[in-house]
Amino acid sequence: MKKILLISGSNRNGNTNYLLNKIKREIDNSELILLSECNIKYCKGCLACHKIDKCVIQDDMNEIIDKVKESDLIIFGVPNYFDNVTGLFKNFMDRLHPLYKSELIKNKNVIFIFTGGGKEKGTKEEMEKAVYGLIKYLKLNVLNTYSYQALDIHDVENQKEKINNMLEEIKNYGRNL
């Protein structure tokens, strides 16, 4: 199995983190980063990263970017807040800018897992729009997107069959990388 990086854009330990922790327990050689526990400052828009392929801000983001570059598959877990990513995840996306001009993760395999209180189809459609720029500008290869209707903190735990199907698919992606 290749190296799999799981990144949670959730502000709380709820449905998104439940799914990512389940994947982490099931898949060897995986690492989970909870952005809520990281020190990630806001992008200054200085564009220094266009010249040096690295962010000049000293925080946890440069270490996270190194892990992103080293991984074979990245799984992003993102809750739906008003048909958009959380502010935490938006800030993270902005700070991935050093990977834009350098194309250091061009064709990187990624999976998105979206959770939200709305219907699965609507959540998936709106969240795919919300991450479209990230995919487009970093030239990511999206293997799949999964959407779960889960508003209250433990709603997703009742969707065992759907979760098991997702786990099997992710394991297959990992084997075929």
Side-chain angles (χ1 to χ4, degrees):
M1 178 90 44
K2 303 290 183 174
K3 187 171 185 177
I4 297 175
L5 183 63
L6 305 141
I7 298 176
S8 173
S10 180
N11 298 302
R12 64 181 186 169
N13 193 23
N15 295 300
T16 301
N17 287 359
Y18 174 84
L19 292 167
L20 293 177
N21 275 301
K22 187 116 176 116
I23 295 166
K24 184 175 182 342
R25 283 191 302 273
E26 294 281 330
I27 296 178
D28 295 332
N29 206 19
S30 62
E31 178 181 358
L32 173 59
I33 296 174
L34 303 173
L35 295 178
S36 63
E37 295 180 1
C38 297
N39 173 28
I40 302 174
K41 297 174 183 161
Y42 295 102
C43 177
K44 297 176 182 182
C46 68
L47 302 180
C49 59
H50 283 204
K51 297 179 184 100
I52 61 172
D53 298 338
K54 185 177 176 176
C55 186
V56 296
I57 298 171
Q58 297 302 309
D59 59 9
D60 293 339
M61 199 59 199
N62 283 319
E63 182 181 338
I64 294 170
I65 286 175
D66 287 342
K67 290 178 181 190
V68 165
K69 291 188 295 192
E70 294 166 2
S71 65
D72 297 296
L73 172 63
I74 305 166
I75 301 174
F76 297 108
V78 192
N80 177 347
Y81 282 25
F82 291 103
D83 288 338
N84 212 323
V85 299
T86 61
L88 179 66
F89 195 77
K90 173 62 170 104
N91 186 47
F92 167 74
M93 289 193 318
D94 291 346
R95 291 293 305 284
L96 289 174
H97 199 87
L99 301 172
Y100 167 55
K101 288 280 190 186
S102 66
E103 295 189 339
L104 288 171
I105 62 168
K106 181 179 179 179
N107 298 318
K108 179 75 68 177
N109 292 308
V110 299
I111 292 172
F112 288 92
I113 300 172
F114 304 124
T115 59
K119 301 287 184 199
E120 289 175 12
K121 182 180 178 198
T123 293
K124 185 174 181 176
E125 288 172 359
E126 294 304 319
M127 296 299 283
E128 285 175 343
K129 289 179 198 173
V131 297
Y132 174 76
L134 177 71
I135 296 164
K136 176 183 173 183
Y137 293 109
L138 297 185
K139 299 178 180 158
L140 301 173
N141 179 39
V142 179
L143 299 176
N144 208 337
T145 58
Y146 299 93
S147 181
Y148 290 85
Q149 184 173 5
L151 179 61
D152 292 327
I153 201 158
H154 298 289
D155 281 351
V156 80
E157 294 173 31
N158 298 322
Q159 301 178 46
K160 292 182 185 346
E161 184 176 339
K162 183 174 181 181
I163 292 169
N164 288 335
N165 290 337
M166 177 189 68
L167 284 169
E168 285 307 309
E169 289 177 11
I170 290 172
K171 287 177 186 177
N172 284 331
Y173 289 129
R175 283 190 284 271
N176 295 323
L177 291 176

